[in-house]
Amino acid sequence: MSQEPGTHEPQETEPAHAAPVEPGDLAALKALAQPRRQRMLEHLALHGPATSATLARALGLNTGSTSYHLRELARYGFVEETDAADTSPVRGEDPSPVRRAEPSAHRERWWRAVPGDRRFPPRSRQSPEMRLVMDELNHHAYAADLDLFERLQRNAPEDDPWADAFPCSRGTIRLTLPELRDFFEEYIALLNRYKRSEAETPSDARTLLTRFLAFPAPSPAPSTGDGADVGAGEDDARDADTGDDESDRRGCGHPGREADRS
């Protein structure tokens, strides 16, 4: 999910170099902001097509609830029905061979996440009501991502070679708005460069969840002119702006242990 140049939601089934799509309809955003629907969409993107029953078991929901939420997601183009035979997860290949199944009350209905580079309208073009919906959507998404990151990192077995596969970075760079947009597009291009078909993916590869977040540092409070310290926020801004343009990249392999500067 994204704003401009905000968050981006590349999906496992997304074809390379897909044109960005902007779901700016308020009803569609409200449908997507529902926390259970976000969880269901994430599960479909990670694990491939599923039925309402398999989603219910995986997420601890009831089948009637998942069926309703799937229909609402499908109504706004976030999920679609697919062949029952095509139930294996895919990793970045062109999804065109997957044909949409005709609805029927006499068969098991399988659903998949519709691929796409979704970019929501930038905040400057959002109505007050749309901002409330987007704030709610982002709040749940960020909280779920952080919780999952911490939980998986904390519970990773010590003898698992993937126990160190939790890179993270906290840094600062100074950019203009046009440069920030270019930076974001280069990041998306980097993700697309590493996508490949299932046949080309090594057997020891794992699906990685990627998240990108950037925001302008707070501006220093204005000086009072009487020699007193400036208001709250100055220290935060000074910490964020180190005086150089070099990103402070750090790998976070284990809780309490900071990797060497790269």
Side-chain angles (χ1 to χ4, degrees):
M1 286 168 278
S2 81
Q3 297 175 22
E4 190 185 299
T7 60
H8 162 85
E9 189 173 305
Q11 299 185 22
E12 289 296 308
T13 54
E14 181 183 331
H17 313 302
V21 176
E22 185 177 287
D25 181 72
L26 184 59
L29 297 181
K30 286 183 176 180
L32 188 61
Q34 215 281 348
R36 289 182 178 179
R37 292 173 193 163
Q38 291 189 47
R39 292 174 58 201
M40 292 166 60
L41 196 57
E42 179 81 358
H43 189 279
L44 291 174
L46 288 178
H47 303 292
T51 66
S52 60
T54 54
L55 279 173
R57 286 193 296 270
L59 302 178
L61 305 173
N62 65 68
T63 304
S65 175
T66 55
S67 294
Y68 168 74
H69 290 312
L70 283 168
R71 290 194 300 271
E72 286 298 295
L73 288 170
R75 179 181 178 187
Y76 296 102
F78 298 113
V79 304
E80 65 184 6
E81 286 194 69
T82 186
D83 272 337
D86 182 50
T87 58
S88 58
V90 286
R91 298 191 181 110
E93 69 269 25
D94 188 334
S96 54
V98 180
R99 68 176 179 86
R100 182 179 298 200
E102 291 299 322
S104 169
H106 304 291
R107 63 172 180 79
E108 198 171 39
R109 301 173 74 177
W110 288 82
W111 302 86
R112 73 167 189 145
V114 174
D117 178 356
R118 297 191 183 98
R119 307 195 185 190
F120 297 131
R123 200 165 182 84
S124 61
R125 289 200 283 110
Q126 295 175 12
S127 66
E129 189 175 7
M130 185 180 291
R131 288 185 181 184
L132 289 176
V133 174
M134 287 301 305
D135 288 346
E136 183 75 6
L137 191 156
N138 289 330
H139 170 75
H140 288 294
Y142 297 157
D145 286 340
L146 183 59
D147 176 71
L148 183 60
F149 178 89
E150 292 180 339
R151 185 154 40 88
L152 293 177
Q153 185 185 54
R154 183 170 56 249
N155 297 333
E158 291 293 332
D159 58 350
D160 185 350
W162 286 86
D164 290 328
F166 294 85
C168 65
S169 171
R170 300 181 69 221
T172 60
I173 51 177
R174 295 178 64 87
L175 300 174
T176 65
L177 282 175
E179 289 173 335
L180 176 57
R181 294 188 183 98
D182 290 343
F183 182 91
F184 179 69
E185 293 300 336
E186 289 181 27
Y187 164 76
I188 300 303
L190 178 63
L191 291 182
N192 287 331
R193 182 158 64 89
Y194 277 87
K195 288 185 177 182
R196 51 196 168 188
S197 68
E198 181 72 16
E200 297 173 323
T201 301
S203 59
D204 59 345
R206 290 182 59 174
T207 297
L208 294 179
L209 302 178
T210 59
R211 303 293 185 262
F212 172 83
L213 178 67
F215 49 92
S219 301
S223 173
T224 61
D226 58 3
D229 291 340
V230 296
E234 181 189 44
D235 290 341
D236 291 339
R238 185 180 295 127
D239 289 344
D241 186 357
T242 59
D244 59 40
D245 295 345
E246 199 171 313
S247 177
D248 180 16
R249 303 181 191 86
R250 299 175 186 273
C252 305
H254 295 278
R257 189 184 77 191
E258 185 174 73
D260 294 335
R261 189 185 300 256
S262 61

